Amino acid sequence: MTQSAELKHYPCYEIFSQSTGVEIRSSIKNHEERAVVTERSGRVQLRFFKLTPKSKPDEVTQIRFICEPDEAFGLALMISQVAGSSVPCKEKLAPHKYVVGEGTETVTTLAVEKWERGGKSGYALTVGRGKDFISVPTPLSKFLFAAEFLKYLSTDQCWVERPDRITAAKSAS
């Protein structure tokens, strides 16, 4: 019998549809100065993914959206608001923008919605980056559970690790 790798325990919630999914879990942001990590802080990660194989070599199969703790809390409130709506609606978080390489701006959006089409209705979490979108339809119970889990992670991930300035100052003297 082969030895398996050590398993790591961490809070995580996954929602699957027929062809897509989203994983919600804790994450860390490293702050670096001259290639040295000087500070770490908690974040919440939503990783959207496709369950189907690539149909084109350059097809995007996953998109990550990293939230600051208060942003994850706002997303939880947004999900609750949309879930309580009596009519179809859509709410979006503020877009995340970053510049890559030679000034190419990348914009990522995250939306939650209550939809109605062809006599059917439901809920979905959708991420978009450029022309790529991944939508994860979900039943109401999982939609609301995602909101509760985001609330939990938003407070659990509200932390920072940085050097103790007092200890560093004492050892220097």
Side-chain angles (χ1 to χ4, degrees), residues 77-164:
L77 295 178
M78 210 178 278
I79 290 171
S80 297
Q81 179 184 6
V82 167
S85 175
S86 59
V87 295
C89 61
K90 185 181 216 175
E91 294 290 333
K92 292 182 179 182
L93 280 180
H96 285 195
K97 299 178 183 182
Y98 60 94
V99 177
V100 187
E102 299 164 6
T104 306
E105 184 177 70
T106 301
V107 179
T108 308
T109 58
L110 179 59
V112 296
E113 68 177 310
K114 178 177 184 174
W115 55 268
E116 193 174 294
R117 290 178 208 89
K120 294 186 177 185
S121 64
Y123 302 89
L125 294 135
T126 304
V127 70
R129 180 173 292 149
K131 61 179 175 33
D132 299 307
F133 288 88
I134 300 175
S135 184
V136 183
T138 182
L140 178 60
S141 61
K142 291 180 182 255
F143 196 59
L144 289 171
F145 187 84
E148 287 300 313
F149 190 68
L150 283 162
K151 277 185 192 176
Y152 157 73
L153 282 181
S154 70
T155 55
D156 191 57
Q157 287 301 103
C158 198
W159 56 266
V160 65
E161 292 177 347
R162 52 175 72 114
D164 184 354

Side-chain angles (χ1 to χ4, degrees), residues 6-131:
E6 188 175 325
L7 302 177
K8 183 173 179 353
H9 172 94
Y10 59 90
C12 178
Y13 181 58
E14 296 174 327
I15 301 172
F16 296 96
S17 72
Q18 282 186 327
S19 59
T20 58
V22 61
E23 172 193 58
I24 304 169
R25 61 179 285 190
S26 58
S27 185
I28 295 172
K29 179 178 181 182
N30 289 325
H31 303 268
E32 294 183 10
E33 291 177 14
R34 295 186 225 55
V36 174
V37 175
T38 58
E39 182 178 290
R40 289 185 182 93
S41 52
R43 294 292 186 267
V44 175
Q45 171 182 281
L46 290 93
R47 183 179 66 89
F48 290 79
F49 52 90
K50 293 180 181 178
L51 296 168
T52 54
K54 283 185 176 189
S55 57
K56 295 175 267 184
D58 61 342
E59 181 180 8
V60 171
T61 58
Q62 67 177 342
I63 299 174
R64 293 178 197 274
F65 192 94
I66 309 292
C67 299
E68 293 191 16
D70 62 330
E71 192 176 25
F73 186 80
L75 179 59
L77 295 178
M78 210 178 278
I79 290 171
S80 297
Q81 179 184 6
V82 167
S85 175
S86 59
V87 295
C89 61
K90 185 181 216 175
E91 294 290 333
K92 292 182 179 182
L93 280 180
H96 285 195
K97 299 178 183 182
Y98 60 94
V99 177
V100 187
E102 299 164 6
T104 306
E105 184 177 70
T106 301
V107 179
T108 308
T109 58
L110 179 59
V112 296
E113 68 177 310
K114 178 177 184 174
W115 55 268
E116 193 174 294
R117 290 178 208 89
K120 294 186 177 185
S121 64
Y123 302 89
L125 294 135
T126 304
V127 70
R129 180 173 292 149
K131 61 179 175 33

